[in-house]
């Protein structure tokens, strides 16, 4: 665990005009604010489309996008692949949501067979599938992974809207187990991917606004020990959404409800 | 009118199916009743539109107001006008509107973006007015590009139909290009959904007043018809737009409507004059009494582009603001767009978060460092806020509920 730092935490929002369809800017806002509210300086760094992605960021946020923008974003990410890898090796966190999640994997195979190459940061592969998975998604975080000093967060809530069927390579851990909704959608009842300081997920809402505990784990990964922060309102929202998700996964839900609400 | 018995029965059955569907909360009553009408009376629209010179108005934002503006301009000029004034913009709403036409004349019809390609032939539309395309109801419709593409295909197969289109919106430009277009440069507003070229996928370059594709040459079309502040420059003539309705977005709606009215033979200066009489449009901008001598003005905002315009407007005023958001089927079930809207503009105002999704709003406001109350009911929330002026900005179903209760709306 690194000591609390005095240089600003650099939260990178990558290609917001391409990968910003689902309120993805929100994840950056939440990280910046929750870091600052702890007295740690934080800076929002927007990397515009067409620009190289620098290796100097502490967090790399990739969001979701439509087809053409995603292709464009994929090209930029591949060009800056070495920078992203170097930054990650040096301790940076990657949060990739929806289309961004697909792009940090090996490849995305469209319905017509066309292949969009990812950057292979995690060993996952996505195929276009149908039907589209749309609705509240709840996942119990994997607990056999090193989450750091806080341990795993409680059940994660979000809204999913994707046609992807993502399969994880051998030995790759999911972010969690699906309690309600589709998640990776490949029949394994898993959601997302979790590797050392890398989170890929179909949860949006945005995910860090819905799950303050997840945001705080990311901040701890880059800023070291952090004091707790009041989150009553965020927890109310989380509880509200978990209740709403009951409608989608009611049977499984009753089994897992206590686990989810914690 | 001359509608056949079959058509009359079809329209009635469609209405009934729509009402039943809504009662059963399946939500998409309008779509279902449209299907029923098509089933029972497949030629209903053709028959009902017979004798009407049809103009269709479509856009993600502003279609109801633009329709009202154009209908007002034509009516003021003494024309017989049929229009769907309550925003019923699917087949199911258009059919009964036409069935109630007072006689042959002009039909000015607001039509849903996705319905436009399907009704252009049955209605034998002569003029299309195309405003803007942006993200709306993500969970239901997905992609802006898909709508733009369906419009473009329609234009390609209807080269003779006249079009008045916004030259400042890349999606609209790309869609309308194959048609017989009069371009109106409305100025660049929301650009977050148009980063890439609709033609070739390259990154568009944006300057203060235009967009260009550096790769394929796709660009903002040149035009002599331009919205300049609150003046419409129409083929070189400056026409002041003096509106009762607030906001820059209504100036854009008015510019489109006046250009369309001119195309339909109305003197544009008189058309612009007539728009002053429009003070509320299907509940938009209506006042709701708060019971303490004050009233709250209601604004509708359905998507990030609309919210952003509204917030820029409120930011400059000394007003309390209630943000009332639902995420039901008609709103789009995913309110993650809240994070694309600059709620930071409300710092220093008295604010409240209301609606089904008030907690989503409240969390958004917390991160924007905007003080707020939380109260489910928007009118109760408005009552709690200090200040002489109060605005309730409502998402679609919140707005509809207020309109039903206070505006006498359907
Ligand atoms: Zn191009």
């Amino acid at each position: 665990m690194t000591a609390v730092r005095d240089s600003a935490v650099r939260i990178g929002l990558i290609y917001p005009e391409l990968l910003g369809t689902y309120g993805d800017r929100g994840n950056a806002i939440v990280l910046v604010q929750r870091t600052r509210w702890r007295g740690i300086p934080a800076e929002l760094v927007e990397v515009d489309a067409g620009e190289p992605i620098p290796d100097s960021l502490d967090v790399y946020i990739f969001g979701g996008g439509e087809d053409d923008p995603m292709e464009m974003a994929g090209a930029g990410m591949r060009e800056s692949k070495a920078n992203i890898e170097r930054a990650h090796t040096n301790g940076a966190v990657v949060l990739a949501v929806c289309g961004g999640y697909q792009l940090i994997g090996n490849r995305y195979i469209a319905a017509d067979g066309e292949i969009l190459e990812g950057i292979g940061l995690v060993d996952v592969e996505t195929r276009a599938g149908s039907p589209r998975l749309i609705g509240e998604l709840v996942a119990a975080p994997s607990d056999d992974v090193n989450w750091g000093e806080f341990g795993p967060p409680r059940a994660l809530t979000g809204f999913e809207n994707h046609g992807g069927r993502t399969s994880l390579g051998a030995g790759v851990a999911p972010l969690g187990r699906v309690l309600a909704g589709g998640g990776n959608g490949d029949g394994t009842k898993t959601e997302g991917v979790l590797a050392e300081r890398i989170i890929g997920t179909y949860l949006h809402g945005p995910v860090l606004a819905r799950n303050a505990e997840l945001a705080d784990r990311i901040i701890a990964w880059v800023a070291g020990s952090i004091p707790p922060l009041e989150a009553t309102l965020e927890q109310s929202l989380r509880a509200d959404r978990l209740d709403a998700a009951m409608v989608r996964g009611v049977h499984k839900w009753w089994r897992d409800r206590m686990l989810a609400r914690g | 009118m001359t509608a056949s018995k079959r058509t009359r029965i079809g329209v009635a059955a469609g209405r009934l199916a729509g009402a039943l569907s809504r009662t059963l909360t399946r939500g998409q009553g309008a779509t279902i009743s449209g299907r029923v009408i098509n089933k029972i009376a497949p030629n209903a629209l053709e028959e009902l539109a017979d004798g009407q010179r049809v103009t269709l108005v479509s856009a993600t934002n502003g279609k109801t107001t633009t329709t009202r503006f154009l209908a007002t301009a034509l009516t003021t000029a003494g024309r017989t006008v049929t229009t769907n004034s309550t925003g019923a913009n699917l087949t199911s709403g258009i059919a009964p509107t036409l069935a109630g036409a007072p006689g042959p004349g002009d039909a000015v019809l607001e039509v849903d973006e996705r319905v436009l390609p399907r009704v252009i032939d049955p209605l034998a539309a002569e003029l299309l007015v195309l405003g803007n395309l942006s993200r709306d109801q993500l969970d239901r419709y997905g992609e802006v590009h898909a709508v733009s593409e369906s419009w473009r295909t329609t234009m390609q197969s209807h080269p003779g139909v006249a079009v008045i289109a916004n030259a400042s919106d890349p999606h609209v430009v790309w869609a309308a290009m194959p048609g017989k277009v009069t371009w109106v440069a409305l100025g660049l507003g929301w650009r977050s959904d148009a980063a890439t070229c609709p033609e070739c996928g390259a990154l568009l370059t944006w300057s203060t007043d235009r967009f260009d594709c550096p790769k394929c040459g796709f660009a903002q079309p040149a035009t002599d018809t331009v919205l300049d502040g609150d003046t419409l420059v129409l083929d070189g003539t400056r026409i002041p737009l003096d509106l009762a309705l607030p906001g820059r977005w209504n100036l854009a709606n008015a510019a489109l409507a006046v250009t369309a009215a001119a195309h339909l033979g109305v003197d544009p200066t008189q058309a612009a004059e007539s728009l002053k009489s429009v003070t509320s449009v299907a509940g938009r901008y209506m006042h709701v009494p708060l019971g303490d001598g004050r009233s709250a003005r209601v604004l509708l905002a359905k998507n990030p582009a609309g919210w952003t315009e509204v917030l820029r407007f409120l930011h400059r005023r000394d007003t309390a603001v209630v943000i009332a958001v639902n995420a039901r089927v008609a709103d789009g079930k995913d309110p993650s767009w809240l994070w694309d809207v600059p709620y930071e503009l409300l710092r220093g105002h008295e604010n409240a978060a209301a609606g089904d999704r008030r907690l989503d709003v409240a969390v958004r406001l917390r991160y924007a460092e905007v003080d707020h109350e939380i109260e489910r009911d928007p009118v109760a929330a408005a009552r709690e806020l200090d200040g002489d002026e109060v605005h309730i900005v409502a998402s679609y179903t919140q707005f509809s509920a207020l309109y039903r209760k206070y505006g006498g709306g359907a």
Side-chain angles (χ1 to χ4, degrees):
Chain A
M1 201 53 56
T2 48
V4 172
R5 43 189 292 158
D6 39 41
S7 67
V9 174
R10 288 161 59 84
I11 312 289
L13 183 59
I14 311 301
Y15 304 156
E17 63 275 68
L18 298 177
L19 300 176
T21 302
Y22 298 114
D24 300 282
R25 173 176 298 274
N27 288 320
I29 295 173
V30 169
L31 287 179
V32 167
Q33 293 292 59
R34 296 189 76 78
T35 305
R36 283 183 185 159
W37 290 341
R38 290 178 160 98
I40 304 166
E43 188 191 341
L44 174 62
V45 180
E46 296 190 32
V47 179
D48 291 338
E51 285 178 18
I53 302 169
D55 66 0
S56 55
L57 304 175
D58 293 298
V59 181
Y60 292 76
I61 297 173
F62 302 97
E66 297 194 11
D67 293 352
D68 279 352
M70 238 183 93
E71 239 171 77
M72 194 89 209
M77 287 167 69
R78 287 193 302 274
E79 273 168 37
S80 295
K81 182 180 162 174
N83 279 356
I84 300 167
E85 284 172 345
R86 189 178 317 116
H88 175 248
T89 305
N90 291 335
V93 174
V94 173
L95 172 67
V97 181
C98 210
Y101 168 33
Q102 295 164 354
L103 287 172
I104 64 164
N106 298 323
R107 64 192 63 81
Y108 173 81
I109 304 161
D112 60 4
E114 200 180 318
I115 292 176
L116 175 57
E117 291 293 338
I119 59 169
L121 197 61
V122 286
D123 181 17
V124 309
E125 177 177 293
T126 305
R127 281 175 184 278
S130 94
R132 217 174 156 81
L133 302 169
I134 303 175
E136 292 289 334
L137 170 60
V138 182
S142 302
D143 53 11
D144 51 353
V145 191
N146 179 19
W147 279 97
E149 64 175 313
F150 292 115
R154 286 176 290 169
L156 303 169
T157 125
F159 192 94
E160 64 180 327
N161 183 354
H162 61 100
R165 300 294 183 269
T166 302
S167 44
L168 311 187
V172 176
L175 174 62
R177 177 168 58 86
V178 171
L179 299 181
N184 286 330
D186 65 334
T188 60
K189 301 284 177 197
T190 61
E191 151 51 25
V193 68
L194 177 63
E196 194 68 27
R197 287 177 276 94
I198 299 175
I199 292 172
T201 181
Y202 282 116
L203 294 159
H204 54 87
V207 60
L208 300 185
R210 291 269 198 106
N211 305 279
E213 295 177 12
L214 187 64
D216 286 352
R217 277 151 185 81
I218 291 174
I219 295 167
W221 285 342
V222 294
S225 270
I226 49 170
L229 193 67
E230 186 269 330
T232 314
L233 187 55
E234 290 87 333
Q235 291 302 350
S236 302
L237 170 61
R238 181 175 165 275
D240 177 65
R241 293 293 88 211
L242 286 171
D243 286 344
M246 284 178 64
V247 176
R248 203 174 174 204
V250 69
H251 297 298
K252 255 184 312 167
W253 184 264
W254 284 112
R255 214 172 50 223
D256 294 307
R257 187 157 193 275
M258 295 321 290
L259 164 72
R261 296 213 49 168
Chain B
M1 293 272 332
T2 56
S4 66
K5 190 171 179 190
R6 194 180 182 86
T7 290
R8 275 182 278 125
I9 293 169
V11 170
R15 267 181 178 158
L16 182 64
L20 272 174
S21 160
R22 279 188 296 276
T23 308
L24 299 171
T25 67
R26 297 289 300 279
Q28 302 194 17
T31 316
I32 287 161
S33 62
R35 269 192 227 128
V36 170
I37 295 170
N38 279 338
K39 201 91 191 164
I40 296 178
N43 298 321
L45 288 181
E46 280 94 332
E47 273 185 36
L48 293 167
D50 191 31
Q52 302 295 341
R53 181 187 193 185
V54 175
T55 297
L56 300 178
V57 180
S58 200
T60 303
N61 289 320
K63 52 186 174 290
T64 304
T65 303
T66 304
T67 300
R68 167 63 75 84
F69 279 161
L70 179 54
T72 302
L74 293 175
T75 306
T76 307
R79 310 267 277 261
T80 303
V81 178
T82 302
T83 186
N84 46 352
S85 54
T86 58
N89 60 21
L90 302 160
T91 314
S92 53
I94 292 169
T97 297
L98 290 170
D106 291 282
V108 182
L109 302 172
E110 167 191 346
V111 57
D112 182 270
E113 307 88 274
R114 291 129 198 119
V115 174
L116 176 74
R118 283 190 271 133
V119 295
I120 185 168
D121 283 330
L123 295 174
E126 290 181 29
L127 178 64
L128 307 183
V129 181
L130 306 178
N132 53 70
L133 288 174
S134 71
R135 238 179 310 162
D136 192 42
Q137 303 185 30
L138 281 173
D139 62 303
R140 194 145 45 118
Y141 293 116
E143 306 195 350
V144 178
H145 190 67
V147 174
S148 171
E149 201 154 56
S150 78
W151 281 12
R152 185 177 169 90
T153 309
T154 306
M155 292 300 106
Q156 282 164 337
S157 54
H158 297 80
V161 176
V163 184
I164 311 286
N166 178 3
S168 309
D169 182 314
H171 292 295
V172 170
V173 170
W174 190 68
M177 255 165 49
K180 208 169 68 187
V181 191
T182 303
W183 298 108
V184 190
L186 295 176
L188 304 174
W190 180 257
R191 61 178 73 170
S192 297
D193 300 318
T196 54
C197 173
E199 174 69 28
C200 76
L203 273 181
L204 290 178
T205 50
W206 294 79
S207 64
T208 46
D209 63 349
R210 60 175 292 117
F211 60 84
D212 292 272
C213 173
K215 200 169 152 203
C216 75
F218 173 80
Q220 178 161 333
T223 175
D224 294 331
T225 303
V226 178
L227 176 62
D228 177 17
D230 53 8
T231 301
L232 171 65
V233 185
L234 185 68
D235 288 331
T237 310
R238 295 184 69 84
I239 301 164
L241 301 172
D242 181 14
L243 306 178
L245 298 186
R248 205 188 65 93
W249 66 93
N250 278 322
L251 290 167
N253 295 334
L256 279 178
V258 170
T259 308
H263 179 91
L264 293 171
V266 177
D267 175 75
T269 305
Q270 282 170 12
E273 276 288 303
S274 74
L275 305 188
K276 239 184 277 184
S277 67
V278 178
T279 54
S280 172
V281 179
R284 293 153 181 80
Y285 319 107
M286 71 176 182
H287 284 263
V288 169
L290 297 181
D292 57 7
R294 296 182 303 161
S295 68
R297 181 157 69 168
V298 179
L299 304 178
L300 168 66
K302 296 185 291 190
N303 44 48
W307 276 97
T308 300
E309 289 279 357
V310 164
L311 287 173
R312 283 184 190 146
F313 164 73
L314 295 173
H315 171 66
R316 292 190 300 269
R317 302 180 72 91
D318 181 14
T319 182
V321 180
V322 177
I323 299 161
V325 173
N326 286 352
R328 302 182 189 178
V329 173
D331 303 292
K333 294 182 82 170
D334 178 10
S336 61
W337 52 262
L338 284 167
W339 294 83
D340 293 319
V341 176
Y343 288 103
E344 288 79 2
L345 291 171
L346 294 178
R347 282 178 196 158
H349 292 246
E350 287 253 331
N351 306 291
D356 295 348
R357 302 304 290 269
R358 60 199 175 283
L359 290 173
D360 295 77
V361 174
V363 167
R364 173 70 188 97
L365 294 179
R366 166 164 153 82
Y367 281 105
E369 298 182 341
V370 168
D371 293 335
H372 59 274
E373 308 291 325
I374 303 173
E375 167 72 54
R376 186 185 190 109
D377 178 70
V379 177
R383 222 173 270 135
E384 280 176 29
L385 301 179
D386 290 333
D388 294 334
E389 185 175 297
V390 185
H391 280 88
I392 298 174
V393 192
S395 73
Y396 188 74
T397 59
Q398 276 284 319
F399 171 82
S400 303
L402 288 169
Y403 185 34
R404 273 196 304 275
K405 193 162 173 192
Y406 300 97

